[in-house]
Amino acid sequence: MLNLFLTAFVAAFLVAGIRRPFLFVLAFAYIDIVAPQKVSWGFLQMIPISLIAFVGAVTSWAVAENKDGIRFSPRQFVLLLLLIYCGLTTRTADFPEDALEKWSWVWKALVFAMFLPLTLRTRLRIEALVLIMVLSVGVIVIGGGIKTLAGGGGYGELKLLVNDNTGLYEGSIISTVAVCVMPLALWLARYGTIFKPGWLVWLFALGICFACLLMPVGTQARTGLICVAVLVLMMLRSVKRRMLYIGVMGALALIAIPLLPQSFTERMNTIRNHQSDQSASTRVAVWKWTIEYAKTHPFGGGFEAYRQNVLSYDTIQAENAGDNNTAIETQRIEERGRAYHSSYFEMLGEQGYPGLGLWLLLHILGVVHMEVIRRSYAKDKSPELGWVTPLADSLQQAQIVYLFGGAFVGIAFQPFCYMLVGLQCGLSAYIGRVKRAVPKPFRAPRPNTPPRPASA
């Protein structure tokens, strides 16, 4: 039943896009996040609906959209440079066939991020994209949250919409993205106009946030716990009553800890000592290999270059051998072809130092630019622009969570994260058009001066 509903939903979006071109953009965003072709069955899995939506969005924009005042931002130029550079490294990749397979979806994510700001010309469109992103992730996390509450889950065990451990359906990735979505959901509940603020809207937003918080528990992903901690600290800057906020967060933590599964707390304890956990030890070994690889391949090895790594590391297990004695066992493990488990090392290994530099520049500019917008409109409480500072704040929080989560999971080219980039660029472009639309006087008005006294 769910398969049929998701397929009908996508089809309705694509058909409606013929009359409303921006719906193609929303359809592509939804398809890239949820991947309904994985949920469908039979011949529907063979239809390239992502490519259809992408071509429909670009074609309809080129034919029917208003293009007055279009300007490319510096971050869109950085995206273009990153796209070109990734294309060049794909041509000389160490594993050409595997690299082409990844390139087949990476280029769409980068091009869509460049194209997206050109379509976000109104507040309604910006809000519609935020809503689609939140609801699309909600489609995944609500079901996962229900299964977690029912006692399901476990590391690598939680089944979401499909039995697939790739893309957003991988535990650490969905945990990171779920936490990124939380500030956007709260912004919609407070400033949304499509669904105006009310108790039902707030209830749904809080429900999605609760489901997002359950993702690190259900997947037992340590990355998710780190992302939650980062978001809690980031939101401390935005709340008005900070002491109350700290008290509420502390109380919720004290209530939640006894209710968490024992398997979750045991796995989180491995954060202290990575050598006691094989997964964490593998990550450190891959990172060391990538640093050595970059010394001889400063321009990277192209997509999927990790497939050539050979790792050797020790794991330590400690067990009580008596009342006061502990037996420590060291085990030597060798593995091949392990993924980077970090966006930073993913960029370094695949795209080298130039690619890593462009990627860092793209995201650092985003954090700085959102801070500039946040401060510039902090005192503006008007209906026209009063929503700008909170949205910039939410987008900055989401991006910083992504950057922290990306340190422990390879999501350097995750399409959802590039939608955040496109959304940030679209917000900046919208503000620029609003500023340019305000008429400026030809000459500054003279200050009022008292009349000169009459001469005697």
Side-chain angles (χ1 to χ4, degrees), residues 20-291:
R20 300 280 184 176
F22 185 68
L23 291 180
F24 276 117
V25 176
L26 300 182
F28 182 80
Y30 171 81
I31 292 167
D32 249 19
I33 295 173
V34 179
Q37 62 272 23
K38 292 184 178 180
V39 185
S40 301
W41 65 92
F43 74 96
L44 295 175
Q45 294 181 337
M46 303 173 61
I47 300 176
I49 57 175
S50 177
L51 183 60
I52 293 173
F54 179 82
V55 172
V58 175
T59 303
S60 61
W61 174 82
V63 173
E65 282 286 291
N66 181 11
K67 304 173 186 62
D68 293 339
I70 287 179
R71 298 184 181 183
F72 243 50
S73 68
R75 294 182 73 197
Q76 287 171 285
F77 278 111
V78 174
L79 280 168
L80 179 60
L81 291 176
L82 184 60
L83 174 69
I84 295 173
Y85 185 79
C86 289
L88 293 175
T89 59
T90 302
R91 292 176 61 88
T92 59
D94 293 344
F95 297 88
E97 293 183 3
D98 296 313
L100 283 174
E101 184 177 350
K102 184 172 180 178
W103 169 254
S104 66
W105 58 266
V106 166
W107 75 264
K108 285 188 291 186
L110 294 175
V111 171
F112 188 68
M114 285 189 290
F115 166 72
L116 197 54
L118 306 180
T119 67
L120 301 178
R121 300 184 60 84
T122 64
R123 173 183 176 177
L124 178 61
R125 291 189 173 191
I126 293 174
E127 182 184 338
L129 179 61
V130 176
L131 181 62
I132 286 295
M133 292 171 66
V134 171
L135 293 180
S136 297
V137 174
V139 169
I140 303 174
V141 302
I142 290 175
I146 293 174
K147 292 178 181 178
T148 300
L149 289 176
Y155 183 63
E157 298 294 330
L158 182 65
K159 307 304 180 185
L160 300 171
L161 281 181
V162 293
N163 187 15
D164 194 330
N165 197 33
T166 60
L168 280 187
Y169 296 101
E170 194 276 330
S172 296
I173 297 178
I174 188 59
S175 297
T176 302
V177 170
V179 179
C180 289
V181 156
M182 291 174 61
L184 298 178
L186 295 176
W187 178 83
L188 284 170
R190 187 177 179 185
Y191 295 96
T193 58
I194 298 176
F195 297 101
K196 295 184 178 180
W199 71 270
L200 282 176
V201 172
W202 271 105
L203 184 64
F204 185 76
L206 293 176
I208 284 186
C209 290
F210 181 62
C212 291
L213 287 175
L214 288 174
M215 283 299 95
V217 179
T219 61
Q220 295 187 6
R222 291 163 296 195
T223 305
L225 182 63
I226 294 173
C227 291
V228 171
V230 170
L231 180 60
V232 168
L233 291 176
M234 286 292 298
M235 294 182 72
L236 181 62
R237 185 181 66 163
S238 304
V239 297
K240 295 181 180 179
R241 300 178 181 178
R242 296 181 179 177
M243 295 307 299
L244 177 62
Y245 174 78
I246 294 174
V248 171
M249 291 296 105
L252 291 176
L254 291 175
I255 295 173
I257 289 175
L259 301 177
L260 294 174
Q262 183 179 356
S263 58
F264 173 80
T265 55
E266 290 176 353
R267 180 162 175 78
M268 295 306 109
N269 286 334
T270 60
I271 295 177
R272 301 177 182 177
N273 181 15
H274 72 273
Q275 287 184 310
S276 64
D277 180 75
Q278 184 174 344
S279 175
S281 298
T282 301
R283 297 186 185 202
V284 175
V286 172
W287 297 346
K288 291 180 179 179
W289 177 87
T290 306
I291 292 174

Side-chain angles (χ1 to χ4, degrees), residues 68-69 71 121 429-441:
D68 293 339
R71 298 184 181 183
R121 300 184 60 84
Y430 172 80
I431 294 173
R433 285 191 295 271
V434 170
K435 284 183 177 180
R436 292 191 295 270
V438 176
K440 297 181 179 179

Side-chain angles (χ1 to χ4, degrees), residues 405-421:
F408 307 101
V409 61
I411 50 176
F413 294 102
Q414 177 58 236
F416 176 87
C417 305
Y418 284 94
M419 289 181 201
L420 285 177
V421 173

